[in-house]
Amino acid sequence: MKMPTIDMGECVDCEACLDLCPSVFRRNDVGYIEVVDLEEYPEEEVEECIKNCPADCITWEEV
Ligand code: SF4
C-alpha cells in the first residue's frame, strides 16, 4: 500500500494539509506536522494536499 510522507526539511508549516485533510495530517506533541497511522489513506484528499502544499514536500511512498 502507499502512504503520504512529508519532507520535513522542506515543510514551511503553512497548515494547508491540516485544513484540507485533518484525518491524515496532524501536528504532533513536539509541534511538527506528521502523517497519522492509518490502514488506508483517502487518495483524493491526499492528492488535494499534494497539489496545494506550497513547498511541494508531500509525496506518496510505497510501504
Ligand atoms: S501543506 Fe506542506 S508545507 Fe504546508 S504544513 Fe503541510 S506539509 Fe508543510
Side-chain angles (χ1 to χ4, degrees):
M1 78 133 182
K2 60 181 189 172
M3 68 177 290
T5 57
I6 302 169
D7 179 349
M8 288 309 298
E10 299 295 325
C11 174
V12 295
D13 209 348
C14 71
E15 298 193 345
C17 55
L18 301 185
D19 289 342
L20 289 167
C21 198
S23 64
V24 172
F25 300 95
R26 71 175 171 209
R27 188 178 297 281
N28 67 20
D29 292 344
V30 286
Y32 294 114
I33 310 292
E34 70 178 12
V35 176
V36 177
D37 264 332
L38 297 174
E39 299 274 308
E40 217 176 306
Y41 292 90
E43 182 144 1
E44 281 182 21
E45 287 174 41
V46 172
E47 288 294 337
E48 256 328 280
C49 294
I50 289 173
K51 271 190 239 151
N52 285 285
C53 172
D56 271 341
C57 64
I58 306 171
T59 51
W60 287 108
E61 184 182 33
E62 288 293 332
V63 291

